[in-house]
Amino acid sequence: MDAADTHDDGPPPRWRLLGPGLVVAATGIGAGDLVATLVAGSKFGYALLWAVIAGVVIKIFLVEGAGRWSLATGHSIFEGWRRLGRWTSIYFGPYIMIWGFVYGATAMSASALPIYTVFPQIPFIVYAIFSGLVGAALVWIGKYHAIEKLVAVFVGLMFLTVVGSAAFAAPNVLDAVKGLVPLIPEGGVINTLSIAGGVGGTITLAAYGYWLKEKGWYQPKWMRVMRIDNTVAYIISGVFVISMLIIGAELLYSANIAIESGDEGLVELSGVLADRYGGFVGNLFLLGFWAASFSSVLGVWNGVSIMFADFWGRVRKKDEDHPDRRSGGKYYKFYVLWLTFPPMLLLLIGKPVSIIIAYGVLGSFFMPFLAITLLLLLNGRHMPEKWRNGWLLNVILGVIAALFLVLGINELIGAFSPG
């Protein structure tokens, strides 16, 4: 970086499409999101296409807010939360530990499932453990640029396989256009809210500011670059989830085929594709399933580990720029190990009910927590006046916060519901 680049009023920097936005979007679009959209398409056809698009727009605003805070203030999102009071740490500390424990097992399982489907000769748990170990090894030293390039490769695989499968399904353009009208089908309220609010990541949205810093984008002069990066990346992720809706509408809804709502639903879909278009297409889709799952492993193992390092470094009263609070530091490496090894116990013994309830309770509040705290931070005294929200952004974030509160309450009810 030359001297001119250290001034906010210098020439605008050159930008590239490949950036932190692609990482946060690819990390957020995991197997669970693909299944949720697929199930919506299988139940309601194209009726919820507008909700998928709304979900993309919601994520663009949330991630832009996280990025704007980091660039405008020079502080991480966690430093912002601490400025709102100690209550944020009281929530975030237990959440990130329980979330990592459960998510580690979930992510390893999702990455193993498509491999096991093709090569069932080796026990499933071996593939799951191997996926976690490979993910940990790839992110261990915390080199962001290498991770970014790997994620870009997985995005290319997802585009080839998921979008290619949608093209094979031959979307009905007229029905798709009708799906742009905001209507909620009978019995589809929860599906609609989940699609609009749930597709595209949870805690990883808050990691965006950390990835900006790892990329070298850390001053207000990068604001326009960040917004382009974020918008383009989420448009790409929108293409993926719309493709899954098309597949659900054309292959499942039209043929009245029901699939499971878990990751197994994607395996069932590969079978439907194989029956319709041949084994090559079915296996190609499984490759996309694996790419979506393993890109989430890489993104979470890196991004959430940086968040934990920042959190724990703050608890230990270390300066914000201390190496221990950055990627590759000892707190970062501890959380990489936490995501990898303790969750293997869940793979062996199943998921204890008490852990799942705690995971559901804390997880149901994270997206409302993020939306509400961003609303407070982006209007607060620590935010430079030039970069604060206008009234329109406040209305939009307020609506988003209300949406996530409704979804959070629904998830909370689900966490305590029997069965």
Side-chain angles (χ1 to χ4, degrees):
M1 183 180 295
D2 58 35
D5 286 337
T6 62
H7 299 288
D8 290 351
D9 57 355
R14 290 180 300 172
W15 60 276
R16 296 177 299 166
L17 171 61
L18 183 63
L22 193 66
V23 178
V24 74
T27 301
I29 301 295
D33 299 300
L34 297 182
V35 172
T37 314
L38 178 68
V39 169
S42 69
K43 285 184 176 180
F44 307 110
Y46 290 98
L48 294 182
L49 177 58
W50 67 271
V52 172
I53 295 172
V56 171
V57 173
I58 284 171
K59 297 306 184 300
I60 288 174
F61 278 108
L62 283 175
V63 176
E64 188 276 340
R68 178 155 45 97
W69 163 265
S70 296
L71 293 181
T73 66
H75 296 300
S76 68
I77 188 70
F78 181 74
E79 281 292 326
W81 289 339
R82 285 293 285 121
R83 282 160 170 74
L84 296 177
R86 292 180 60 85
W87 64 272
T88 56
S89 297
I90 293 171
Y91 167 76
F92 184 72
Y95 171 73
I96 197 171
M97 295 305 293
I98 295 174
W99 183 90
F101 185 49
V102 178
Y103 182 83
T106 302
M108 286 187 272
S109 296
S111 298
L113 189 57
I115 306 174
Y116 178 73
T117 301
V118 180
F119 304 106
Q121 299 85 356
I122 297 174
F124 173 83
I125 194 170
V126 174
Y127 290 125
I129 290 173
F130 182 72
S131 297
L133 293 174
V134 171
L138 289 172
V139 306
W140 181 252
I141 59 176
K143 294 296 184 183
Y144 168 78
H145 292 282
I147 294 166
E148 184 182 81
K149 289 179 174 61
L150 280 172
V151 169
V153 171
F154 291 130
V155 169
L157 285 174
M158 290 168 64
F159 197 92
L160 174 68
T161 56
V162 176
V163 179
S165 297
F168 270 110
N172 186 311
V173 176
L174 183 59
D175 286 348
V177 170
K178 292 178 182 177
L180 296 175
V181 179
L183 296 173
I184 298 177
E186 184 178 353
V189 174
I190 297 302
N191 290 92
T192 303
L193 292 176
S194 298
I195 291 298
V199 172
T202 52
I203 192 173
T204 52
L205 300 182
Y208 185 55
Y210 296 92
W211 281 322
L212 289 175
K213 191 169 185 178
E214 293 294 316
K215 179 76 171 179
W217 300 352
Y218 53 86
Q219 294 177 331
K221 71 173 184 177
W222 295 97
M223 201 71 74
R224 178 173 174 271
V225 176
M226 177 273 292
R227 285 169 170 161
I228 295 171
D229 168 70
N230 172 44
T231 302
V232 171
Y234 267 96
I235 288 173
I236 292 172
S237 73
V239 171
F240 292 139
V241 291
I242 289 171
S243 297
M244 290 303 296
L245 190 78
I246 290 170
I247 294 169
E250 295 296 339
L251 294 184
L252 305 179
Y253 178 74
S254 60
N256 197 28
I257 299 173
I259 62 168
E260 294 189 46
S261 58
D263 294 344
E264 293 80 3
L266 294 181
V267 174
E268 292 181 53
L269 175 61
S270 70
V272 174
L273 286 166
D275 290 341
R276 183 76 63 92
Y277 304 112
F280 174 77
V281 174
N283 288 332
L284 196 65
F285 178 79
L286 286 175
L287 178 63
F289 175 5
W290 175 80
S293 300
F294 197 68
S295 64
S296 296
V297 168
L298 286 182
V300 167
W301 263 236
N302 175 256
V304 183
S305 296
I306 302 174
M307 292 184 70
F308 174 81
D310 188 37
F311 158 70
W312 192 246
R314 183 67 166 77
V315 171
R316 303 294 295 173
K317 299 183 173 15
K318 295 183 182 288
D319 293 336
E320 191 169 356
D321 290 326
H322 194 284
D324 288 348
R325 293 181 65 173
R326 298 291 302 277
S327 176
K330 62 182 181 181
Y331 302 146
Y332 168 92
K333 289 179 178 178
F334 166 82
Y335 197 77
V336 170
L337 297 176
W338 177 256
L339 281 165
T340 307
F341 290 100
M344 291 179 185
L345 295 174
L346 296 183
L347 294 174
L348 290 168
I349 65 175
K351 299 177 181 178
V353 173
S354 58
I355 293 291
I356 296 304
I357 290 176
Y359 176 78
V361 170
L362 291 168
S364 65
F365 286 117
F366 183 77
M367 291 304 280
F369 171 82
L370 177 61
I372 291 169
T373 53
L374 277 177
L375 195 57
L376 295 172
L377 290 174
L378 298 176
N379 290 284
R381 61 187 177 86
H382 298 291
M383 187 71 169
E385 188 171 354
K386 178 181 179 181
W387 301 111
R388 290 178 189 169
N389 280 1
W391 69 268
L392 181 58
L393 278 175
N394 281 329
V395 169
I396 292 171
L397 273 181
V399 170
I400 292 172
L403 167 65
F404 284 124
L405 278 174
V406 172
L407 279 173
I409 291 169
N410 180 69
E411 289 180 30
L412 191 60
I413 294 170
F416 287 99
S417 296

